[in-house]
Amino acid sequence: MLAGVRIEVSSGARIPHKSSRLKIWAESVQKEGGDMRQGAPSAAQPTADRCTAGAARQPTHLLVGDEALEPANLLLLQHQRQQQPGQPGQGQQRQHLVHFSWLTGCLEKRRRLGEEDFHPAALAAAAAAYSDNEDPEFMHNQQQGAAAAPPPAAAVAAAAAASAAAASSRPPPLRQLAVRSPMLTSADVQQLVLHLLADAPRPHWLSVHGRPATLVCVELPGLDQQRLKGQPPALPRLVTASRQQVLLQASSALEAASQTTAALLGVPEGKGGGGRGKKRKQPEGPPAATGAAGDQQSGRVVAGHSAAERAFPPSFYCTTARQMRLLAFPPGSAEDAEAAEAADAVHGVVATAGAAAPGAGLGLGPMESAGAGASEAEDPERGGAAAGAASGDRGSSASASAGTDPPGPAVAATATAGAMLPPGWVSTSQRLDSEGAPAEAMVAIDCEMVITTRGFELARVTLVDGDGRRLLDELVVPDHPVVDHNTKYSGITAEMLAGVCTSVADAQRLVMRHVGPATLLVGHTLENDLKVLRLAHGRCLDSAVLFPHPRGFPHRASLRTLAQRLLGRSIQEGAHDSAVDAEAALQAVRLKLRHGPTHGTLKQGRRHLFELLAARGRRLALVAPREVLMLHAVPAAEVVSAGSDREVADAALRLLGADQRGAGSAAAQPSTGSQGAPVPEQEGQGQQQQRRPPHLIWVHFGELWWHLEACAARLAAQGGAQDPAAAVAAVHGDARTCGLLKQADALLSELAAALPAGSLLVVLSGQGNTPLCRALQGEGRFKDERLAAAEQRAAAKASAPVQALAERAQRGVCLLAWPGAGRI
């Protein structure tokens, strides 16, 4: 490996544990056929001064330490590097100046790495780029022109590891892979990916020869093992093409798909790519708040935008029309969201991240209408979820510029929704700029409600702008006689409403002075606020959706819990205050915008799988609907947003290079780096480098799961009146479910057929029909419904069909396939 290599160590080299390392290195280099000696002059001295011996004894590699990364030495080294001739003279050997991490990497990888990647200048640039993403203080000092400082040690180590991974020779192609275990868990799948792509230790249950050039992981939640192996099988074409089928055990019969994805992508600290040493316990406590109000509260000023803010615009986190229907948003809201997506496509605004193709993900597939006709909003301040509430609200909208509404066609498109609204309802799409001042770019809202003879009605509305300034705080007289002021939750008393003349219609006009069709409306469980306001709006950022409950749908975290966990604030300890609640929801959403989709999704003490792989030089892609991307996307990956399963499959095929018809496809777009910026091509690589598939393509098919959730929501809306055995039988024989499985089989077969040589396809279901299990067992009920829910759970436990369904739902599947496995 190091035959003919003569290494000298700079006399002033700052190397951690230098004396012990030098002894080990000298022995290891000699075993590998090289030679190593110490005491060379400093790297900052001219090269000619170091060449006193003849060419035969001249070292081929000069090893330097961290002192070479200091700004003054870097300038001198860069100047010397430019003055050196491109090729050595006759009888001379080119001398390489390398950081000591080059030798460490060579001995660890047992192969000679590229010296240019470990030149101090190249390593410092890579470490600075890492610090720009991971260390806001380092980035702030660089932008403010503060005294130059060498990159942090952690950044240097990460850059060296990435260079070692990129410089290592290509591993042998995948020839054989077998799982020697009848059952896997999410943690096992994680170990498989880390071993194949990050050189992590091989699991004892895995037998593998070679490594896949591309690993395609497809999530298909809702498919259980019994359905896969039934007669006829659910995925006959894929089963024929697969090499192996393994049981994938879910942790619970009530596990949601978002929980499975988080478990697959969240790697415990110390287990990423063979990390050693005892895991340190992370301190508990909420992170410092960010944003205008959050920065004031923490006392820290952060300059510029974070990597997540550069990669994901605020509109990326908006609630989709599909989720609005599942959450029973007010009439017209889902239509406004669809029109906003169409307007974005027309005007070339794509609310997606990374290198998605123009217009990708804006067309939505078949949508389930669940929760329609559900009862009026319950107390919006309570934890849990009403029937028809979903675990995640995400969506689509154009990026809203301050004081600007969308162009004329967008307003014209959304105005059609207003014509279908019930009497007394209005839509923000009907707002015209001529009616008042330009609308705000971002507004937080919270409403307080009282109980009247017609149910919950509006009593107070508060608006706060994106900087935390109060725009509106108005008391409203209900349209019907008040039965209960609900003071414990609303903070409203009879004395406060005495003499109030503002009606709901007046409140609508006041709100629409500040909220237009392009405004990003922020709140917590926004469907409740919009219902009592009788207002339809298509661009919503809901903190209850962006920070889902750990137990998934239909549970929903309360605002009080989020404020305590994320902001370190205690709110709602007595009577609620709509101004405080609106500000808390705004700060929570700004945290998500600042830190990215995974903030609040990954469990503490875990790192995202993609971040670990990106640190090792792997190119990554995530193709999924926006509902998934808003919780699991990272700037380190190329992110492609797609609506239907067909669009998801098409995007994955383009990434694999199977679709060469469209020049504007996602595969022809430049890849994005860890900061969402295009990665420059190396000279001479051209189109071949641009079209090369990523090392990992993570794909999520969601239509089957959404259909199962919609069916469960309709069942929950009936209050459990339906016979459990009949409900289970109806779902198993559902024609729509069978049709979606048939469609998934065709799409997965296309992916399997398009796999390049030496690639691997892994299909994961995670769990079966757990939404139906949740509905039949009364999950997600309010506190005053606990008795009824307990009775329903007792009946479910006594029902053999429900218990069989719960056992079946825990048995997911994992299918492995690669080229040559069978005819497709």
Side-chain angles (χ1 to χ4, degrees), residues 44 66 119 229 247 285 298 418 521 544 548 636 642 648 657 683 741:
D66 291 334
H119 189 280
K229 294 186 175 182
L247 168 66
S298 65
L521 193 62
V648 170
E683 187 177 356
L741 287 171

Side-chain angles (χ1 to χ4, degrees), residues 759-814:
S759 300
L760 174 64
L761 173 66
V762 180
V763 181
L764 311 165
S765 68
Q767 64 280 310
N769 194 355
T770 55
L772 182 59
C773 293
R774 288 172 175 264
L776 292 176
Q777 296 189 25
E779 283 288 317
R781 294 300 186 88
F782 287 135
K783 293 180 181 179
D784 55 0
E785 297 174 331
R786 282 179 178 173
L787 181 60
E791 295 176 352
Q792 189 171 350
R793 281 193 293 270
K797 289 181 179 180
S799 172
V802 175
Q803 289 303 303
L805 174 67
E807 182 178 352
R808 173 177 174 176
Q810 286 186 267
R811 302 173 67 85
V813 293
C814 173

Side-chain angles (χ1 to χ4, degrees), residues 77-140:
L77 291 173
Q78 288 174 346
H79 177 71
Q80 294 177 3
R81 193 182 189 187
Q82 295 172 356
Q83 297 300 320
Q84 288 179 352
Q87 296 293 336
Q90 186 176 5
Q92 294 182 350
Q93 228 176 354
R94 183 177 180 183
Q95 187 181 73
H96 297 283
L97 185 68
V98 290
H99 188 261
F100 70 87
S101 57
W102 172 82
L103 182 56
T104 304
C106 289
L107 297 176
E108 181 181 346
K109 296 286 184 180
R110 300 193 61 80
R111 61 178 67 97
R112 183 170 170 176
L113 306 181
E115 289 85 358
E116 288 299 320
D117 293 329
F118 291 87
H119 189 280
L123 196 62
Y130 178 89
S131 298
D132 178 49
N133 182 29
E134 300 291 336
D135 192 344
E137 292 183 358
F138 180 85
M139 179 179 66
H140 176 59

Side-chain angles (χ1 to χ4, degrees), residues 268-623:
E269 290 286 353
K271 292 196 176 182
R276 298 177 182 176
K278 186 176 180 180
K279 171 183 160 184
R280 293 185 178 180
K281 184 177 181 181
Q282 299 295 327
E284 296 290 337
T290 58
D295 291 338
Q296 265 185 349
Q297 188 182 33
S298 65
R300 179 186 178 189
V301 178
V302 180
H305 295 286
S306 66
E309 288 176 306
R310 292 192 295 269
F312 307 105
S315 55
F316 177 78
Y317 301 90
C318 286
T319 309
T320 63
R322 178 164 44 220
Q323 293 165 332
M324 286 184 174
R325 291 189 171 96
L326 191 62
L327 280 165
F329 261 63
S333 295
E335 289 75 15
D336 282 355
E338 288 176 333
E341 293 169 350
D344 291 345
V346 169
H347 296 282
V349 180
V350 182
T352 188
L362 294 178
L364 297 176
M367 301 181 187
E368 301 296 339
S369 178
S375 58
E376 287 296 317
E378 311 248 2
D379 186 349
E381 314 299 342
R382 300 158 63 182
S391 61
D393 308 358
R394 288 131 322 241
S396 48
S397 71
S399 55
S401 57
T404 306
D405 284 341
V411 178
T414 54
T416 58
M420 300 182 292
L421 293 175
W425 287 70
V426 295
S427 171
T428 54
S429 63
Q430 300 168 323
R431 181 190 188 275
L432 301 177
D433 287 340
S434 57
E435 294 179 358
E440 300 286 339
M442 181 179 290
V443 173
I445 187 172
D446 190 74
C447 296
E448 303 295 352
M449 308 153 198
V450 296
I451 303 175
T452 70
T453 54
R454 295 294 183 88
F456 286 96
E457 292 195 36
L458 180 66
R460 181 185 177 186
V461 57
T462 303
L463 298 182
V464 176
D465 70 6
D467 294 325
R469 294 186 294 266
R470 193 173 303 183
L471 300 174
L472 175 68
D473 193 358
E474 192 76 16
L475 291 171
V476 180
V477 59
D479 291 342
H480 300 90
V482 177
V483 176
D484 184 357
H485 286 87
N486 201 25
T487 306
K488 179 181 178 181
Y489 296 107
S490 67
I492 302 296
T493 63
E495 293 75 12
M496 293 174 62
L497 294 181
V500 174
C501 300
T502 304
S503 64
V504 175
D506 297 331
Q508 292 171 344
R509 287 189 289 269
L510 293 173
V511 169
M512 290 181 65
R513 288 181 182 177
H514 306 281
V515 180
T519 301
L520 297 174
L521 193 62
V522 179
H524 188 80
T525 58
L526 272 172
E527 71 275 11
N528 296 321
D529 299 308
L530 294 177
K531 282 178 180 177
V532 295
L533 262 174
R534 302 172 196 164
L535 182 69
H537 188 69
R539 305 173 189 266
C540 299
L541 296 173
D542 197 325
S543 58
V545 172
L546 298 178
F547 300 97
H549 194 281
R551 296 177 65 183
F553 173 81
H555 299 274
R556 304 186 75 182
S558 66
L559 183 59
R560 178 179 179 178
T561 300
L562 291 182
Q564 180 64 42
R565 178 166 63 93
L566 300 173
L567 309 174
R569 295 181 55 184
S570 297
I571 65 173
Q572 300 179 352
E573 292 184 333
H576 295 192
D577 187 331
S578 57
V580 173
D581 293 351
E583 182 184 359
L586 175 65
Q587 291 184 15
V589 169
R590 290 182 71 90
L591 270 180
K592 176 70 77 169
L593 301 182
R594 181 73 183 177
H595 297 290
T598 61
H599 183 71
T601 303
L602 286 178
K603 294 182 179 179
Q604 190 167 3
R606 292 178 178 263
R607 289 194 62 188
H608 201 286
L609 174 66
F610 280 27
E611 293 176 349
L612 294 173
L613 296 177
R616 286 157 177 81
R618 305 305 182 194
R619 290 174 292 106
L620 314 163
L622 177 59
V623 186

